[in-house]
Amino acid sequence: MAGRILVTGATGLLGRRVFRRAAAAGYAVVGTYFVRSTSAADEWLDIRDRAAVRDTVQRVRPDAVVHTATGRDRNDWRTIADGAANVAVAAAAAGVRLVHVSSDAVFSGRDTYYDETALPDPVNRYGAAKAAAETAVRAVAPDAAVVRTSLILGDDGGSPHERLTHGLVSGRNDGALFTDDIRKPIYVNDLADALLELAANDYRGVLNVAGTDPISRYDLGVLVAVRDGLDPASIPAARSAELDPSRPTDVQLRLDRAESVLRTRLRGAHEFMAP
Ligand SMILES: NC(=O)c1ccc[n+]([C@@H]2O[C@H](COP(=O)([O-])OP(=O)(O)OC[C@H]3O[C@@H](n4cnc5c(N)ncnc54)[C@H](OP(=O)(O)O)[C@@H]3O)[C@@H](O)[C@H]2O)c1
């Protein structure tokens, strides 16, 4: 089924790919940008402005909104939390399907394994803003899909983790990758396809959508280095728990429900990062 999709944040790591794959699947796609316009994402929108979001949704008249926009700064509460509420209000007022993107950052890591019933217990400002966004979306647009995802990896060097790994290997960046910081990274194409699938069905509530492999940030960096022909031995390693005990270390989203709800196959990092 094709139709019209509005992608917020269509210049971002995820939004770019959602835009491209939606267009390839036959959707009419309108993509919004905030600072960096592109020929694809040519609709300016500041999601902090509730009236502007409402006007955009009313003018574009999409069948679904895929909300990927997020603050350029991870502490930007007005964009991450209030902006998500504004998008939900606009979608609900127009009776439009909403797919909202959330994060495993809503969790502290205290419980390690999280299914869709797990309640947020964020330990930093970004996680708190993402948790507030979830609450607003579920209150205002209870039929929306709220997708909790993990580290997003690309295939073109564009993700923060790929850039950081390259920077550490070349010496451009200081720091290290954590050996005890475990996530379930997802390939950007898999996530984009899952979001588009959800845009076209009526799944409501939280859904975990992540990759199948739990892996440390350090081991993920090794996969990036091997794929890109760099020397993995030159990646500095550190333990997160020693540097900052309040950081979430082991956060693993359970995928049982996604595997029964979605046709999109969610690959693990060892598969999608293979050279
Ligand atoms: N990246 C990850 O590893 C990761 C992990 C878990 C969850 N997530 C979630 O996945 C989603 C996508 O993340 P991402 O990494 O693709 O983000 P990103 O690359 O940082 O892109 C952010 C997008 O939001 C737009 N934006 C920023 N401020 C805005 C505002 N005030 N109004 C409207 N648009 C605004 C940006 O537009 P301009 O480019 O024009 O400034 C850009 O298109 C987010 O919900 C994020 O929390 C990401």
Side-chain angles (χ1 to χ4, degrees):
M1 181 214 85
R4 184 186 297 273
I5 294 212
L6 176 64
V7 181
T8 66
T11 51
L13 168 65
L14 175 60
R16 270 199 315 270
R17 214 48 85 89
V18 174
F19 186 103
R20 202 186 304 164
R21 292 179 82 81
Y27 287 99
V29 198
V30 175
T32 76
Y33 73 97
F34 180 49
V35 173
R36 311 168 283 183
S37 73
T38 65
S39 55
D42 59 1
E43 178 84 26
W44 185 80
L45 179 63
D46 180 354
I47 58 169
R48 296 170 301 180
D49 181 341
R50 179 168 292 192
V53 180
R54 185 196 57 214
D55 291 350
T56 300
V57 171
Q58 281 177 355
R59 184 165 35 78
V60 173
R61 303 179 72 81
D63 298 295
V65 177
V66 180
H67 177 49
T68 78
T70 188
R72 297 177 67 81
D73 173 347
R74 283 165 66 89
N75 290 328
D76 182 355
W77 187 281
R78 289 191 58 221
T79 301
I80 299 169
D82 297 356
N86 293 339
V87 171
V89 167
V96 168
R97 171 81 173 144
L98 172 62
V99 180
H100 168 80
V101 181
S102 189
S103 169
D104 60 9
V106 300
F107 296 122
S108 67
R110 212 165 295 132
D111 295 332
T112 305
Y113 304 104
Y114 296 93
D115 69 13
E116 283 78 1
T117 64
L119 296 177
D121 63 341
V123 292
N124 56 41
R125 203 172 155 86
Y126 172 68
K130 295 299 287 184
E134 283 190 2
T135 293
V137 169
R138 296 178 69 193
V140 171
D143 290 335
V146 173
V147 173
R148 287 182 182 149
T149 192
S150 190
L151 269 184
I152 303 170
L153 266 287
D155 44 29
D156 58 3
S159 69
H161 199 77
E162 290 167 278
R163 284 204 303 270
L164 176 59
T165 303
H166 279 245
L168 290 170
V169 169
S170 67
R172 267 196 323 276
N173 282 75
D174 290 330
L177 295 183
F178 295 131
T179 53
D180 57 343
D181 206 342
I182 313 291
R183 297 291 184 277
K184 294 176 83 174
I186 185 161
Y187 181 41
V188 65
N189 284 359
D190 294 349
L191 179 55
D193 289 351
L195 297 176
L196 291 172
E197 218 188 306
L198 289 164
N201 70 25
D202 56 5
Y203 182 89
R204 68 201 299 266
V206 173
L207 186 66
N208 292 342
V209 180
T212 48
D213 298 347
I215 184 169
S216 73
R217 287 182 196 261
Y218 177 83
D219 288 335
L220 189 59
V222 169
L223 293 182
V224 171
V226 170
R227 182 197 66 186
D228 297 347
L230 307 173
D231 176 13
S234 57
I235 302 173
R239 283 181 57 78
S240 151
E242 282 160 16
L243 291 176
D244 178 1
S246 72
R247 272 181 63 90
T249 48
D250 197 350
V251 179
Q252 301 189 29
L253 297 177
R254 287 194 181 280
L255 300 177
D256 314 61
R257 191 180 293 179
E259 284 168 352
S260 71
V261 164
L262 297 174
R263 288 189 312 275
T264 303
R265 193 166 73 84
L266 303 173
R267 283 168 277 191
H270 291 95
E271 180 178 352
F272 69 72
M273 295 299 293

